[in-house]
Amino acid sequence: MLDILVVEDNLEMATLLCDFLKAEGYSVQNCTDGESALKTFETEGARLVILDIMLPGLDGFAVCHKIRENANTPIIIVSAKTEKDDKLNGLILGADDYIEKPYDIDILLAKIKGIFTRRYQTEVLSDGFLKIDKSKRIAFKENTPLDLTQKEFDLLLLLMENTGKTLSKDYLFNQIWGFDSFSEPQTLTVHIKWLRQKIESNPKKPDHIMTVWGVGYRYER
């Protein structure tokens, strides 16, 4: 998974920003249009998206909306569109921040570091029913350790990190098994079944890993 997906069609600006981010130790990829950005996000994933608005094809607002349909990944909009309505639209669509161009790179880096600190340095994820220790890669159900395979752990963690959000089957499969995986998509269904057997009181009538028919799955507390 990428640390940061930069979506910027100005190659000079994108190259400069990516160089700064790489110097800070982040793994980065740039996309110059909305369609390729969504494809990259679906196949590779990202912990943060830095998103321009004025893009060829799908604009940044559409990209933000599409990402928010399946994930709660942090999004920072960076745009020369400075009207109040543009800012409100971006925030309403789910962006975490809206920064006007030209921007101060040090301020942008500080905002990025703040997001990564708040979002990804918490090692224990808990909702009262399940607890996941990310660093030790151990999951607990009501304080009892769960015997999970590596893929089961990764899948459960991804679902819990997006509690309340419906994640598409394609997104889940690509995030856990990878776009180039030789596994069959049916593998996801099997792993969901195994997870339910391990965490649900009644796997046939789950209370936590919910099926959203025709779309994918959602984790509920």
Side-chain angles (χ1 to χ4, degrees), residues 123-191:
E123 294 298 329
V124 177
L125 184 65
S126 177
D127 64 5
F129 172 68
L130 294 179
K131 181 173 70 174
I132 290 183
D133 188 318
K134 299 180 186 179
S135 60
K136 296 180 180 178
R137 291 185 63 82
I138 301 174
F140 301 83
K141 174 185 175 182
E142 297 173 341
N143 296 321
T144 300
L146 291 169
D147 183 16
L148 302 179
T149 66
Q150 177 180 330
K151 295 300 186 186
E152 288 171 353
F153 180 90
D154 291 340
L155 181 56
L156 181 59
L157 176 60
L158 182 57
L159 288 167
M160 284 189 68
E161 285 180 331
N162 292 276
T163 296
K165 299 269 186 188
T166 298
L167 304 181
S168 72
K169 292 181 179 179
D170 286 344
Y171 177 80
L172 287 167
F173 182 81
N174 290 330
Q175 293 299 303
I176 303 303
W177 284 272
F179 182 71
D180 296 325
S181 171
F182 291 106
S183 299
E184 296 293 331
Q186 184 66 17
T187 300
L188 171 62
T189 305
V190 173
H191 279 72

Side-chain angles (χ1 to χ4, degrees), residues 207-220:
D207 295 316
H208 301 284
I209 301 179
M210 314 301 293
T211 298
V212 181
W213 296 107
V215 182
Y217 301 96
R218 181 180 68 250
Y219 179 82
E220 296 287 356

Side-chain angles (χ1 to χ4, degrees), residues 68-147:
R68 276 290 169 266
E69 286 182 342
N70 291 319
N72 65 352
T73 301
I75 298 172
I76 298 177
I77 289 178
V78 179
S79 176
K81 294 175 73 67
T82 61
E83 296 296 322
K84 178 180 178 180
D85 287 346
D86 293 318
K87 296 178 183 179
L88 287 174
N89 191 28
L91 296 172
I92 289 170
L93 287 171
D96 297 86
D97 206 341
Y98 193 114
I99 299 176
E100 296 180 12
K101 293 180 180 178
Y103 54 83
D104 186 309
I105 187 64
D106 290 328
I107 291 177
L108 178 59
L109 289 175
K111 288 177 177 287
I112 292 169
K113 289 179 181 178
I115 287 175
F116 272 81
T117 298
R118 292 190 302 272
R119 185 70 176 272
Y120 298 114
Q121 289 188 2
T122 300
E123 294 298 329
V124 177
L125 184 65
S126 177
D127 64 5
F129 172 68
L130 294 179
K131 181 173 70 174
I132 290 183
D133 188 318
K134 299 180 186 179
S135 60
K136 296 180 180 178
R137 291 185 63 82
I138 301 174
F140 301 83
K141 174 185 175 182
E142 297 173 341
N143 296 321
T144 300
L146 291 169
D147 183 16

Side-chain angles (χ1 to χ4, degrees), residues 196 200-211:
R196 284 173 171 162
E200 301 284 0
S201 298
N202 184 352
K204 294 183 179 180
K205 294 182 179 180
D207 295 316
H208 301 284
I209 301 179
M210 314 301 293
T211 298

